[in-house]
Amino acid sequence: MTRSALVAAGLMVLGPLAALAQAPGEAPKGAPPPTNAPSPAETQPLPLTTAPDPSKSTPGTAMPAPEQAPVRNPGGADPAPIAKPNASALPTLVPAPSEANDVDEVTLPAKPAAIVSGQTKWDDAVASLTAAFRKIEAALAKAGLKPAGPPLSVFTKTEEDGFQYEAMIPIEAAPAGGTELDGVRFGATPSGKALRYKHTGTYEEIDGTYETLTAYLEVKEIDVQDRFVEEYVGDLKGGAEEKLDINIYALPKEPTRDQAK
């Protein structure tokens, strides 16, 4: 089952968020085994990633990669380039738990963010999201702003052949006036109660992680929104051998008055 089918089904069954606390750490009944291992969080711990040590530019050397290149200023002196922090060195939306769990109940803070909306086919997901993040990074460099967290995507609408999304990079504060800059607008990351599930593996294997998460939600009878968030702790890559660390956030629905009674 793909993410499009999971979200089309609502990723849900009826039930309050409080059901999560009834059996912490309980394995979902009937859940399909995750790819390669029963528990990605336990068998594939978060790899340590260090930022590369770029060589210093000297006259006659090659230009830096596009995402690290300084923004040109026609008619004037070039501004100093803004170093691009490694995604794994930036703080995630919420801190990692002290103990590895399959699913963590967390509260997402609303952080200022630079945002680009887009849509793409499932097969082109990594390329489209990467292009959106580079567009945001270029706008931030132009405005003299630095990322304050790893990039993330909010999948707002999914269909069988593709999806719509909002690519975001958290920042410390939006520029004065919060006006759009080179097609990049400013807003905030999703906030409120969420369930975090970690995916460790290639992006091609992420559907298996979603199936495991969906089974967990069904067992716990947790009703969630028909959208989800992916936070890319390391650089997003689409190669079949590229191991990734991605935090997936499912957003529970607020209980109705009848359910709250």
Side-chain angles (χ1 to χ4, degrees):
M1 182 181 294
T2 63
R3 274 171 292 171
S4 60
L6 297 176
V7 177
L11 284 174
M12 66 181 182
V13 291
L14 296 178
L17 177 62
L20 179 66
Q22 295 177 0
E26 177 184 346
K29 298 180 181 178
T35 304
N36 299 328
S39 172
E42 295 177 357
T43 61
Q44 301 184 48
L46 179 67
L48 297 177
T49 305
T50 56
D53 182 17
S55 58
K56 298 181 180 180
S57 297
T58 57
T61 57
M63 289 296 291
E67 64 269 24
Q68 296 177 337
V71 178
R72 305 294 296 181
N73 182 16
D78 290 340
I82 296 178
K84 175 188 173 183
N86 186 277
S88 62
L90 296 169
T92 54
L93 291 174
V94 291
S98 57
E99 297 182 2
N101 301 304
D102 284 342
V103 180
D104 296 302
E105 181 181 356
V106 300
T107 300
L108 298 177
K111 294 186 176 182
I115 306 169
V116 166
S117 298
Q119 62 181 38
T120 187
K121 303 294 185 182
W122 289 109
D123 290 343
D124 301 326
V126 172
S128 182
L129 290 170
T130 300
F133 294 140
R134 287 180 177 174
K135 181 176 181 179
I136 295 173
E137 289 165 356
L140 293 181
K142 186 175 182 179
L145 300 172
K146 294 182 179 179
L152 57 103
S153 59
V154 181
F155 291 73
T156 56
K157 182 179 181 181
T158 60
E159 298 175 343
E160 187 64 28
D161 61 343
F163 61 96
Q164 297 178 12
Y165 64 85
E166 290 185 337
M168 303 183 179
I169 293 182
I171 54 179
E172 290 296 334
T179 57
E180 188 172 298
L181 178 63
D182 293 343
V184 176
R185 70 182 190 278
F186 296 92
T189 60
S191 61
K193 297 291 184 182
L195 299 173
R196 177 176 56 189
Y197 198 94
K198 179 176 288 295
H199 170 73
T200 302
T202 69
Y203 202 77
E204 293 178 351
E205 298 169 335
I206 200 169
D207 281 346
T209 301
Y210 273 97
E211 290 179 5
T212 303
L213 174 58
T214 301
Y216 180 92
L217 297 174
E218 290 176 350
V219 169
K220 297 297 182 180
E221 297 185 339
I222 300 173
D223 188 7
V224 298
Q225 301 176 28
D226 56 352
R227 63 174 181 155
F228 53 92
V229 180
E230 290 180 359
E231 181 182 35
Y232 310 105
V233 180
D235 291 336
L236 179 61
K237 300 175 183 177
E241 302 300 324
E242 298 287 355
K243 298 296 183 180
L244 305 173
D245 289 297
I246 301 175
N247 290 324
I248 300 172
Y249 297 94
L251 310 175
K253 289 184 176 180
E254 292 293 334
T256 63
R257 288 185 177 181
D258 292 339
Q259 292 174 330
K261 290 180 180 179

